[in-house]
Amino acid sequence: MLPFTLLVSYNDSFKDEQGNKHYDYPDVWTSFAKDALTSVFLWTALSLAIVLIAIGVFLRYKNREALKRYATIALSVAVGFAATVIIAMLALTFFDMQESGAVFDIVLYPSVVLGAMIILGAAAVYASMFCSPKTRKITVITALSAAGAALVALLVCLGIYLASGDAEDNNGAAITLSENVALYLCAAALIALLIFFAFFFGRKDKKGFDSKSVAYASVCIAMSFALSYLRLWKMSQGGSVTAASLLPLMIYSYMFGVKKGIFAGFIYGVLQAIQDPWLIHPAQFLLDYPVAFACIGIAGLFAKTEKLAKLPQVQFGLGAIAASALRFLCHILSGVFAFSEYSTLDNVWVYSMGYNAFVFADIAIVIAVGALVFSYPSFVKTARKFNAAEKKQSEPQQDQDENKN
């Protein structure tokens, strides 16, 4: 009866003198629903993972021929579950924002459009994989253009809100001129560093996005976003330790390279700002969300290190540590220059490092699960085949060119 009672209380609303709609017990309803669904989704995800893995292990020893088909089915089930988690939890987030009046209108519509463009674009790209190369190319360009336009619109709306100064007032912060300059300089420096990583360490990666890399990026972003709702514990001023939510993004970087990994992490960071917004300053937004999670894209940094070819777990682990160290740096700088008002210590640097140390607990879980995943030779072979296939395809073309000459 409790869920029904809460649902009735949520629907029971009144309007104030300005005509704004208010609900009788919104905080109770949204808090209950979020906590309840988080627990339900967490245990459902663990149970689903155990069942899917158990079936996969059984087929591996009993019927290897059916394993590949089962992998496709298991992935479809996982993506469907992820979509359910995302839709349910985002809906509750927007309900909460609507009641509190926290930039609902300026965030809601661009966010919905961006989500729709990503979902529809991913579906279109997947369908185009069964069509001609020309159709695939046109579909990928169209999907990326639509999603890019929606992303730009969302960033513009967020920029308008942050630049207005309301964000600081709403969060009880007061950023001085020196802190303001420091935030912009730090954000610019880290963006430049990411660009260096993308072009230097990703120089051997295949240029551009094809239908396969876009489809995989969409799936991995969705999986990471869904897992980010399965929180083991949450910090008071943003941040949380999750059930290996960054693992899909890091695997994507390992498979497709640093350049594409950084791009996928950037998109994921924007989505994180919608999920759990702590927005005070434009540069703080960049440091805590798009830039911080774009750093996760360097997890594939050691994927092509030949000396570690026989130790894929070490390749993955070193990349994960490097990515998390950069993310940790982003959060520290944001904490020092944007959230100094929240510090409970005289030394704001020590406070920021201590508060953001949750990053290491989060990445420890990812490395542990990742080491287990990369212990399966079949998975490692699949993860590496994208670069291998690219190399094999280029060699015959080179031979043909040499024969022509």
Side-chain angles (χ1 to χ4, degrees):
M1 291 298 295
L2 180 58
F4 178 76
T5 303
L6 289 168
L7 181 60
V8 171
S9 68
Y10 183 78
N11 287 327
D12 191 6
S13 60
F14 65 91
K15 291 185 178 180
D16 58 21
E17 295 179 356
Q18 288 75 33
N20 297 319
K21 191 175 183 180
H22 296 273
Y23 300 94
D24 288 346
Y25 306 103
D27 294 336
V28 175
W29 189 87
T30 53
S31 297
F32 172 82
K34 285 180 179 178
D35 293 342
L37 282 182
T38 296
S39 299
V40 170
F41 284 143
L42 176 60
W43 290 109
T44 302
L46 292 174
S47 302
L48 186 63
I50 292 172
V51 171
L52 292 177
I53 292 172
I55 295 175
V57 172
F58 175 79
L59 291 177
R60 184 175 183 272
Y61 291 100
K62 293 294 183 179
N63 189 354
R64 279 178 171 260
E65 295 180 358
L67 186 59
K68 186 175 182 179
R69 185 175 61 181
Y70 169 73
T72 303
I73 296 173
L75 179 62
S76 300
V77 172
V79 171
F81 175 73
T84 302
V85 173
I86 292 171
I87 292 172
M89 298 304 291
L90 273 182
L92 287 173
T93 298
F94 286 133
F95 285 148
D96 193 22
M97 290 170 65
Q98 184 182 35
E99 172 60 26
S100 62
V103 296
F104 182 78
D105 291 335
I106 202 170
V107 171
L108 172 61
Y109 301 113
S111 302
V112 171
V113 171
L114 176 60
M117 291 299 101
I118 292 175
I119 294 172
L120 293 175
V125 169
Y126 179 78
S128 71
M129 294 174 66
F130 302 96
C131 303
S132 64
K134 183 177 180 180
T135 302
R136 288 200 299 269
K137 184 176 180 180
I138 294 174
T139 304
V140 170
I141 294 174
T142 303
L144 289 177
S145 299
L151 176 61
V152 170
L154 175 60
L155 292 177
V156 169
C157 291
L158 284 172
I160 292 173
Y161 170 70
L162 294 172
S164 67
D166 293 338
E168 292 182 40
D169 295 336
N170 293 340
N171 289 279
I175 299 176
T176 64
L177 178 60
S178 60
E179 290 174 335
N180 186 67
V181 173
L183 280 169
Y184 280 115
L185 290 176
C186 291
L190 284 164
I191 290 173
L193 182 61
L194 283 174
I195 293 174
F196 169 77
F197 274 110
F199 285 94
F200 183 78
F201 293 101
R203 64 187 184 279
K204 295 182 180 180
D205 297 339
K206 184 178 178 181
K207 296 181 180 180
F209 282 85
D210 55 15
S211 57
K212 184 170 291 186
S213 62
V214 172
Y216 273 82
S218 302
V219 170
C220 290
I221 291 172
M223 295 292 289
S224 285
F225 193 51
L227 287 172
S228 69
Y229 281 108
L230 308 183
R231 297 167 178 166
L232 302 182
W233 72 79
K234 182 180 179 181
M235 306 298 289
S236 56
Q237 278 90 45
S240 58
V241 177
T242 62
S245 63
L246 297 177
L247 181 62
L249 281 176
M250 290 186 172
I251 290 176
Y252 179 80
S253 177
Y254 186 95
M255 293 169 62
F256 290 94
V258 171
K259 191 181 298 183
K260 293 183 178 68
I262 289 175
F263 178 80
F266 181 89
I267 300 298
Y268 175 77
V270 175
L271 295 176
Q272 280 292 299
I274 300 170
Q275 180 200 61
D276 188 19
W278 278 85
L279 309 176
I280 296 179
H281 186 276
Q284 173 268 325
F285 160 72
L286 290 173
L287 286 172
D288 275 336
Y289 296 103
V291 175
F293 290 102
C295 292
I296 299 302
I298 71 169
L301 196 63
F302 299 94
K304 296 181 181 179
T305 304
E306 295 182 0
K307 293 182 179 180
L308 300 174
K310 295 183 179 180
L311 298 170
Q313 303 95 327
V314 176
Q315 288 179 324
F316 175 80
L318 290 176
I321 292 172
S324 296
L326 268 183
R327 178 194 171 193
F328 182 57
L329 177 60
C330 290
H331 292 320
I332 286 177
L333 295 174
S334 172
V336 169
F337 298 116
F339 290 94
S340 58
E341 298 290 332
Y342 292 86
S343 177
T344 56
L345 302 176
D346 294 333
N347 191 324
V348 68
W349 287 91
V350 173
Y351 174 80
S352 184
M353 287 188 288
Y355 180 91
N356 291 294
F358 74 88
V359 168
F360 297 114
D362 197 38
I363 202 59
I365 297 173
V366 173
I367 292 176
V369 178
L372 179 64
V373 171
F374 278 86
S375 296
Y376 290 91
S378 57
F379 176 84
V380 175
K381 182 179 179 181
T382 301
R384 288 174 172 173
K385 76 176 182 179
F386 298 96
N387 291 328
E390 179 184 332
K391 184 177 180 181
K392 289 179 181 178
Q393 289 174 1
S394 61
E395 290 175 352
Q397 183 64 41
Q398 292 175 358
D399 294 339
Q400 290 177 10
D401 294 339
E402 291 175 0
N403 293 332
K404 288 180 181 179
N405 295 331

